[in-house]
């Protein structure tokens, strides 16, 4: 049981490049979330999913797209990276977000030059 | 809409002293309240949560928090801190909106020194 894993751990991009961040969980969780963490800002919700095949926008969705084709995976895409997307990205998952905890991955550090 | 305010960005404290990290929230509906801890270069770990019932909630590592509905607060306390408690602490709220995603405060950095 690996919990929540994120790939890659660290990446450097040039402005305009694209990439996909992968979040995988092996706990059969329905709910999955992508947050970004910036200094002094806490964590902010980018997109979320309440089940396979469903996605919805969070607080800061601009410049990102997501897909949940398989229940265990939640992909976050940057089509054209911008310096403002330099951040630490955290994925989380939960079976029942109220009764159960949200389990967080270790994070992906992204630097956009 | 809901929001969370953590009143202190940094809290320095000596080892074995008590500590209180303050959190206020605002919401037009009933909320669920959480405290998470983040150790350096790690993800977030749940300390405790308030869903309903007793307003005093006990969590891991000796932490506890008290829900005060009239003051819309959920302050985190520990009677005696250790060096290992040095970390970033986040208060968060959620409700049925946004798939129960967490709405975080900006965090409080707790620094415990000998």
């Amino acid at each position: 049981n690996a919990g929540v894993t994120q790939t890659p751990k660290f990446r450097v991009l040039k402005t305009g490049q694209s990439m996909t961040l992968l979040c995988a969980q092996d706990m059969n969780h329905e709910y999955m979330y992508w947050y970004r963490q910036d200094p002094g800002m806490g964590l902010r919700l980018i997109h979320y999913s309440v089940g396979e095949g469903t996605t919805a926008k969070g607080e800061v969705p601009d410049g990102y797209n997501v897909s949940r084709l398989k229940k265990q995976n939640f992909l976050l895409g940057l089509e054209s990276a911008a310096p403002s997307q330099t951040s630490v990205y955290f994925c989380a998952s939960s079976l029942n977000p109220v009764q159960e905890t949200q389990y967080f991955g270790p994070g992906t550090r992204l630097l956009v030059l | 809409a809901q929001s969370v305010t953590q009143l202190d960005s940094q809290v320095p404290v000596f080892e074995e002293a008590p500590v209180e990290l303050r959190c206020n929230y605002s919401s037009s509906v009933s909320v669920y309240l959480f405290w998470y801890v983040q150790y350096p270069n790690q993800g977030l770990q749940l300390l405790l949560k308030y869903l309903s019932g007793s307003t005093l909630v006990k969590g891991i590592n000796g932490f506890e928090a008290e829900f005060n509905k009239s003051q819309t607060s959920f302050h985190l306390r520990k009677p005696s801190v250790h060096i290992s408690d040095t970390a970033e602490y986040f208060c968060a709220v959620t409700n049925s909106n946004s798939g129960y995603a967490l709405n975080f405060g900006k965090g409080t950095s707790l620094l415990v020194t000998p």
Side-chain angles (χ1 to χ4, degrees):
Chain A
N1 189 334
V4 180
T5 59
Q6 293 184 232
T7 308
K9 290 184 171 55
F10 177 70
R11 183 79 182 268
V12 179
L13 287 180
K14 295 181 180 179
T15 297
Q17 287 185 318
S18 64
M19 78 165 294
T20 299
L21 283 69
L22 170 63
C23 175
Q25 51 90 8
D26 60 0
M27 298 172 281
N28 201 36
H29 286 171
E30 293 288 345
Y31 295 79
M32 296 188 75
Y33 310 86
W34 275 108
Y35 298 92
R36 60 177 289 174
Q37 182 179 26
D38 302 292
M41 297 294 292
L43 282 80
R44 292 178 292 170
L45 180 68
I46 305 172
H47 285 278
Y48 66 98
S49 169
V50 301
E52 181 179 317
T54 73
T55 63
K57 294 180 180 180
E59 179 186 355
V60 289
D62 293 342
Y64 305 96
N65 56 74
V66 288
S67 65
R68 184 99 182 267
L69 299 179
K70 294 183 179 180
K71 188 177 185 178
Q72 63 267 35
N73 296 336
F74 195 27
L75 279 62
L76 178 70
L78 286 74
E79 293 184 345
S80 178
S84 60
Q85 294 177 304
T86 292
S87 188
V88 181
Y89 292 86
F90 286 99
C91 175
S93 73
S94 179
L95 182 63
N96 179 326
V98 175
Q99 298 298 331
E100 306 287 335
T101 186
Q102 286 192 21
Y103 292 88
F104 282 80
T108 294
R109 291 183 177 274
L110 177 64
L111 174 61
V112 183
L113 301 174
Chain B
Q2 57 187 10
S3 65
V4 177
T5 301
Q6 292 185 242
L7 298 163
D8 305 294
S9 59
Q10 295 182 347
V11 174
V13 63
F14 290 111
E15 190 176 19
E16 298 183 3
V19 70
E20 178 181 82
L21 306 184
R22 297 180 295 167
C23 173
N24 286 95
Y25 71 93
S26 66
S27 177
S28 57
V29 299
S30 296
V31 296
Y32 306 105
L33 295 154
F34 304 80
W35 275 98
Y36 279 81
V37 61
Q38 184 181 32
Y39 299 104
N41 298 313
Q42 294 188 25
L44 276 73
Q45 179 183 4
L46 179 68
L47 274 178
L48 48 79
K49 60 185 176 184
Y50 173 78
L51 305 182
S52 64
S54 173
T55 58
L56 184 62
V57 180
K58 293 188 182 298
I60 63 172
N61 301 340
F63 284 94
E64 63 180 30
E66 185 158 16
F67 170 62
N68 188 319
K69 188 174 182 179
S70 62
Q71 297 188 6
T72 60
S73 67
F74 190 54
H75 300 334
L76 181 70
R77 302 186 185 99
K78 187 169 182 178
S80 177
V81 295
H82 303 292
I83 299 288
S84 59
D85 291 323
T86 293
E88 192 83 12
Y89 292 80
F90 293 96
C91 181
V93 303
T94 189
N95 57 33
S96 58
N97 296 332
S98 298
Y100 293 100
L102 294 165
N103 190 346
F104 288 91
K106 294 184 178 181
T108 296
S109 179
L110 177 64
L111 177 60
V112 183
T113 55

